Amino acid sequence: MSVDPDPRRSQPSHAPYRVGFLLVDNFTLIALATAVEPLRMANQMAGIELYSWSLLTAGGTAVRASDGMVVMPDAGLGEEDRFDLVIVVGGVDVTHSFSNVEVRWLKQQARRNVLLGAVCTGAYILASAGLLDGHACSAHWECLEAIQEDFPRVQTNNHLFTLQKTRMTCTGGTVPMHMMLSFLARRHGAELTNAVSQMFVCDRVREETEPQPIPMLPRLAKLQPRLAEVAQLMEANIEEPIELGELAVLAGTSRRQLERLFLKHLGCTPSRYYLRVRLNRARRLLKQTSCSIVEIASVCGFVSATHFSRCYRKIMGRAPRQERLEAWGTDSDPAEPAEPKPILSSSGEALRRASTEPTYGTIRQPNESG
């Protein structure tokens, strides 16, 4: 099969462009919907079948989304292999949501020169298959650091999405719609894309290189732009933290004024905020990677694992080892009978599955002194 992976070149009018959506366990429904709907609307506006799509799972069996909804696929891997584009739809706990079956199949698609894409956290799966080595990559901020640590040959960025000749990746939420609208624009021009945007009441298509918002920064930018600038410097310099005096100089203010800004708008000192930024990154690495606690302490700017553990326990309310055990599962005594698992509602099951995510329960933080 000869497939042109370049989205700028259209298929013959009689042949729909074939898209496969690979769903893994705990995939995010909003990412799937916002990726599929632009294709549906393109067909509707054009009055012809420009695109066809199929939902795929490893065994062709139903898969549960992160919100607990069960989705029945159209086919299993290998049952339907003729695609021009395959998009991996990731979601919650992506590092444990796929197997070698998906990896082998994706490698097979790459050998056939199929255009490969990923939405939300799906880029982690492409990276696991070695299919993003040397490629630019966008992914949801929650798993971006896991990709950076586990796959250093991947050229990660903080863009909303990245469209290349043979790869297309994006963050989550509603961003897949904007990536697909840009994809449509490259294949069909502005008229069709504008019509699709108008049908979705989308006032503008977001630019590829727009940075995805880092939590807290948008709110800080509204409160105090200089504060947001310092917070961004902290986020970008975790392994080798910048001294407070140097941060003040880079922000064009005095150390005392910087401390006043943090206390007024965030209720803590700059050093305590910086520590929280580093510990939040450590939390993501503990929950999403197999890096040792010593390695995590180092990449998060702590002088020793002991110092890291002490700070983590004080601020996060638990030891790093306990955090990892809660995410990856504790060892149980095989001699003891397993306790029966309660039957949960869809929302309860979704919450249980989300407990492995770094953001789980972060709104309810332990009390801490500033």
Side-chain angles (χ1 to χ4, degrees):
M1 178 179 67
S2 177
V3 175
D4 187 348
D6 192 343
R8 297 171 180 79
R9 295 180 58 182
S10 299
Q11 296 289 91
S13 58
H14 64 274
Y17 192 90
R18 299 150 298 187
V19 184
F21 290 94
L22 174 56
L23 311 181
V24 298
D25 188 43
N26 259 343
F27 77 94
T28 306
L29 200 58
I30 190 173
L32 171 65
T34 52
V36 173
E37 285 298 301
L39 305 180
R40 177 186 70 84
M41 191 54 65
N43 288 353
Q44 178 177 318
M45 301 306 293
I48 59 173
E49 191 182 14
L50 296 173
Y51 295 91
S52 66
W53 54 88
S54 299
L55 304 183
L56 311 168
T57 61
T61 55
V63 63
R64 191 180 295 274
S66 59
D67 58 8
M69 293 186 181
V70 177
V71 175
M72 182 61 68
D74 299 301
L77 302 185
E79 296 177 29
E80 189 176 344
D81 270 351
R82 297 180 61 81
F83 295 108
D84 302 299
L85 165 63
V86 168
I87 295 179
V88 182
V89 186
V92 171
D93 198 18
V94 68
T95 58
H96 301 95
S97 297
F98 65 99
S99 68
N100 287 333
V101 175
E102 290 96 337
V103 168
R104 286 194 300 268
W105 185 79
L106 287 168
K107 288 180 177 180
Q108 182 184 68
Q109 299 306 302
R111 289 193 293 270
R112 295 178 177 180
N113 295 322
V114 173
L115 173 59
L116 296 177
V119 296
C120 195
T121 62
Y124 188 94
I125 300 173
L126 285 182
S128 296
L131 299 175
L132 289 180
D133 288 355
H135 292 277
C137 164
S138 300
H140 191 282
W141 59 265
E142 197 172 43
C143 84
L144 203 55
E145 287 156 343
I147 296 175
Q148 292 169 342
E149 292 300 324
D150 291 345
F151 312 107
R153 296 183 64 186
V154 178
Q155 299 170 7
T156 55
N157 59 50
N158 198 43
H159 299 166
L160 287 178
F161 59 92
T162 300
L163 276 176
Q164 296 182 307
K165 185 175 181 181
T166 60
R167 301 289 185 269
M168 51 192 290
T169 53
C170 76
T171 60
T174 60
V175 173
M177 179 178 71
H178 296 274
M179 180 177 75
M180 298 307 288
L181 287 171
S182 293
F183 176 76
L184 292 175
R186 295 187 181 194
R187 299 194 75 237
H188 307 285
E191 184 179 4
L192 178 62
T193 306
N194 290 339
V196 173
S197 300
Q198 290 164 9
M199 288 296 291
F200 291 144
V201 199
C202 176
D203 57 353
R204 74 178 183 94
V205 179
R206 300 174 74 177
E207 295 293 330
E208 176 178 350
T209 56
E210 284 185 46
Q212 63 175 315
I214 297 174
M216 282 292 290
L217 289 186
R219 184 165 70 87
L220 288 180
K222 291 181 181 179
L223 289 172
Q224 173 56 248
R226 187 166 290 171
L227 199 60
E229 182 182 349
V230 173
Q232 197 160 17
L233 283 168
M234 291 176 175
E235 294 277 359
N237 294 273
I238 290 179
E239 188 166 356
E240 296 182 8
I242 303 176
E243 293 291 334
L244 182 56
E246 187 179 350
L247 281 172
V249 171
L250 291 171
T253 188
S254 68
R255 176 171 177 152
R256 181 171 294 180
Q257 175 63 15
L258 190 60
E259 290 175 337
R260 281 199 294 263
L261 285 173
F262 270 87
L263 287 170
K264 178 181 178 180
H265 295 289
L266 295 174
C268 67
T269 63
S271 59
R272 178 52 60 96
Y273 181 86
Y274 207 166
L275 177 61
R276 166 75 66 181
V277 168
R278 292 156 58 204
L279 290 174
N280 280 338
R281 182 181 186 191
R283 189 176 197 226
R284 293 194 288 272
L285 294 176
L286 284 167
K287 289 201 167 197
Q288 294 182 324
T289 74
S290 58
C291 294
S292 70
I293 290 176
V294 172
E295 291 171 326
I296 292 172
S298 176
V299 300
C300 293
F302 292 91
V303 294
S304 69
T306 302
H307 180 226
F308 165 61
S309 296
R310 185 166 58 247
C311 291
Y312 198 95
R313 185 188 292 273
K314 180 180 179 181
I315 302 300
M316 298 304 201
R318 63 181 66 84
R321 182 175 179 275
Q322 182 184 357
E323 189 82 84
R324 170 153 281 172
L325 287 174
E326 289 178 359
W328 293 68
T330 57
D331 295 329
S332 58
D333 186 346
E336 296 181 1
E339 293 185 6
K341 293 183 179 180
I343 299 174
L344 301 175
S345 63
S346 293
S347 57
E349 177 64 15
L351 183 62
R352 184 193 68 78
R353 286 167 167 240
S355 65
T356 59
E357 291 297 281
T359 48
Y360 181 82
T362 51
I363 299 301
R364 302 190 312 275
Q365 292 291 346
N367 291 330
E368 57 181 86
S369 58

